[in-house]
Amino acid sequence: MESLLAAAHLQPVAFSPAPLSSSTSSSRSSSVVRGACRGSHAVRCAYAKDAILYALEHDEMFNSDEVIQWESGKNINTIAAAQGISIRRRCRPRYPSEGTGDDKAVPRHILEQIVWDKEVEVSQRKAKKPLRDVMESSEHAPPVRDFIGALTTAYVRNSVPALIAEIKKASPSRGVLRENFNPVEIAQAYEENGAACISILTDERHFQGSYEHLETVRNSGVKLPILCKEFIIDSWQIYYARSKGADAILLIAAVLPDLDLKYMVRVCNNLGMTALVEVHDERELDRVLKIDGVKLIGINNRNLETFVVDTLNTRMLMEKRGDDIREKGILVVGESGLFTAEDVAYVHRAGVSSILVGESLMKAEDPGRAIAGLFGKELLH
Ligand SMILES: O=C(O)c1ccccc1NCC(=O)[C@H](O)[C@H](O)COP(=O)(O)O
């Protein structure tokens, strides 16, 4: 089924409507398939294929999770919960306060709130620019830059973890980090001071970021590869990020069930982009290590549900799974809560060859010069 979806270039990601209740989608393609999908496995697959073609023809919301639900008879949130994912999906293009009944559900934590808001945002963006169009735009984007190559080269050159320097105006945990915010100037300063890559927050509602920041930096003459730091829930966003010039995207294991991760890693690799797959605990790491094609894993020291930051997390996960990671030739990025040269040395000793740093650079008066402070030396570039 997955390869069928991949072959059809179908977006497979957003969960089906009304997952908080047992009610089903009312979209035409969905009801066509739901009616048709009862019967033998072979018959169900044949109908699912018809539905995919129907959905492609009619540009309707349709995704692999719906197919999985039809195939297994299980609600997608049940499937996700069985994988240890606490985020529930809604897939109703409304904000919680606007709904009734189940729509009144309150998010359990900030990450769930961000994902619910993202579902609304993505469905609105898709209505304006369907998958077909965004895929076409991605074909005209500037060429992909080698994100992993840049990290590897910088690591060898400086013998300290390669820096992915983040451009983030605000965050849910810290509020506004920088009033005087010019993404291009910050990116130029990062480049001049030895950063290997740049990460740009594009979420507007919670981080005051935008795709415009990403596109402007990409077209500014800055040569570093760019990570689109987004909350990806739908492969449409990967094509969109590529169309704006992104070279890498973030996939968060706490948000995405296994099939979505697998599919999105594949979409990313097919586009020549890098997927930075982020984990926070052992269970997420084990899920990600089973996925073919993963080349870059981020260990987030920040618990995205509670905001607690602890660099011990990187050490603990590397102690437990470092051998498996190295055996697979996967690079590891230590993410979040890195403020001093001691912090950097600590995660380096734990086994990471790259770091992702936002707050400590964004809060510095001169984010470029703050890089030398972070490493205790000037970086060569
Ligand atoms: O930064 C947050 O408050 C946050 C909240 C909820 C979800 C994600 C969040 N941050 C994204 C990141 O992972 C960080 O921007 C990145 O790792 C850099 O972290 P830091 O150096 O601590 O700013």
Side-chain angles (χ1 to χ4, degrees):
M1 186 55 60
E2 199 188 334
S3 58
L4 179 64
L5 290 165
H9 284 300
L10 195 66
Q11 70 81 16
V13 183
F15 292 154
S16 75
L20 295 182
S21 70
S22 56
S23 61
T24 51
S25 163
S26 60
S27 87
R28 199 143 59 99
S29 62
S30 301
S31 52
V32 166
V33 181
R34 283 209 171 81
C37 273
R38 296 185 191 98
S40 73
H41 179 79
V43 170
R44 286 199 303 270
C45 285
Y47 279 120
K49 186 178 170 195
D50 287 347
I52 287 167
L53 295 174
Y54 177 94
L56 273 176
E57 281 304 307
H58 296 78
D59 263 337
E60 285 205 14
M61 174 128 171
F62 183 85
N63 56 60
S64 69
D65 299 305
E66 290 191 315
V67 175
I68 288 169
Q69 291 186 91
W70 304 323
E71 291 284 311
S72 68
K74 284 187 189 152
N75 180 289
I76 192 62
N77 283 335
T78 311
I79 297 170
Q83 294 168 14
I85 294 169
S86 72
I87 307 294
R88 297 162 300 166
R89 298 288 285 270
R90 293 159 52 89
C91 279
R92 294 186 182 187
R94 274 173 276 174
Y95 285 105
S97 58
E98 294 168 339
T100 54
D102 277 338
D103 282 351
K104 280 190 182 148
V106 175
R108 286 192 283 229
H109 43 70
I110 183 68
L111 189 56
E112 194 166 78
Q113 174 74 71
I114 292 173
V115 167
W116 289 6
D117 290 340
K118 198 53 70 180
E119 288 178 329
V120 177
E121 180 199 316
V122 171
S123 77
Q124 287 168 349
R125 285 187 188 271
K126 282 171 78 171
K128 282 196 201 134
K129 190 155 182 164
L131 179 65
R132 216 179 283 255
D133 296 354
V134 84
M135 284 170 79
E136 201 191 317
S137 301
S138 72
E139 284 163 20
H140 305 294
V144 184
R145 292 170 179 160
D146 182 359
F147 199 86
I148 291 185
L151 294 178
T152 313
T153 310
Y155 184 52
V156 171
R157 189 191 298 128
N158 285 298
S159 305
V160 291
L163 174 65
I164 305 170
E166 189 150 278
I167 298 181
K168 146 165 111 166
K169 174 157 184 168
S171 80
S173 60
R174 303 280 194 232
V176 174
L177 297 167
R178 189 173 188 82
E179 291 293 352
N180 168 22
F181 183 80
N182 180 326
V184 170
E185 279 174 18
I186 297 167
Q188 286 165 341
Y190 283 162
E191 184 168 51
E192 280 160 21
N193 287 278
C197 298
I198 292 175
S199 161
I200 303 183
L201 262 301
T202 48
D203 177 82
E204 291 176 18
R205 196 173 171 91
H206 298 276
F207 292 84
Q208 298 188 31
S210 88
Y211 282 98
E212 204 188 313
H213 296 164
L214 195 155
E215 198 169 23
T216 318
V217 170
R218 176 68 204 223
N219 296 328
S220 67
V222 169
K223 299 261 180 316
L224 302 183
I226 299 175
L227 168 73
C228 173
K229 196 87 188 302
E230 243 307 338
F231 294 84
I232 303 273
I233 54 167
D234 187 319
S235 56
W236 181 94
Q237 296 165 279
I238 305 177
Y239 291 102
Y240 191 67
R242 180 79 278 277
S243 75
K244 299 291 177 189
D247 307 292
I249 49 123
L250 180 76
L251 300 176
I252 305 177
V255 169
L256 297 167
D258 295 350
L259 186 79
D260 286 345
L261 279 177
K262 279 184 197 165
Y263 182 80
M264 291 185 184
V265 165
R266 197 181 297 178
V267 168
C268 214
N269 289 345
N270 284 348
L271 285 169
M273 299 172 82
T274 298
L276 171 58
V277 188
E278 180 177 293
V279 302
H280 177 68
D281 60 29
E282 211 175 321
R283 188 167 184 182
E284 289 172 7
L285 182 52
D286 285 342
R287 286 174 48 218
V288 170
L289 286 173
K290 287 196 193 108
I291 295 173
D292 284 342
V294 172
K295 299 170 195 152
L296 192 61
I297 289 179
I299 297 181
N300 201 346
N301 297 313
R302 178 178 286 112
N303 180 325
L304 298 184
E305 296 178 11
T306 63
F307 291 156
V308 171
V309 180
D310 189 351
T311 50
L312 181 63
N313 200 44
T314 297
R315 190 172 120 191
M316 197 255 300
L317 290 185
M318 289 305 285
E319 274 173 7
K320 290 191 170 159
R321 296 288 180 271
D323 287 344
D324 300 342
I325 290 172
R326 283 183 285 273
E327 205 173 287
K328 287 174 177 284
I330 294 171
L331 293 188
V332 180
V333 183
E335 297 180 7
S336 305
L338 303 173
F339 289 87
T340 63
E342 287 72 39
D343 293 337
V344 175
Y346 178 81
V347 292
H348 190 196
R349 277 197 303 278
V352 311
S353 56
S354 310
I355 54 171
L356 173 61
V357 181
E359 183 181 340
S360 61
L361 299 177
M362 292 303 301
K363 278 191 166 163
E365 201 177 320
D366 182 338
R369 289 186 61 81
I371 290 176
L374 190 60
F375 288 92
K377 67 175 187 177
E378 306 265 343
L379 297 184
L380 302 171
H381 62 288

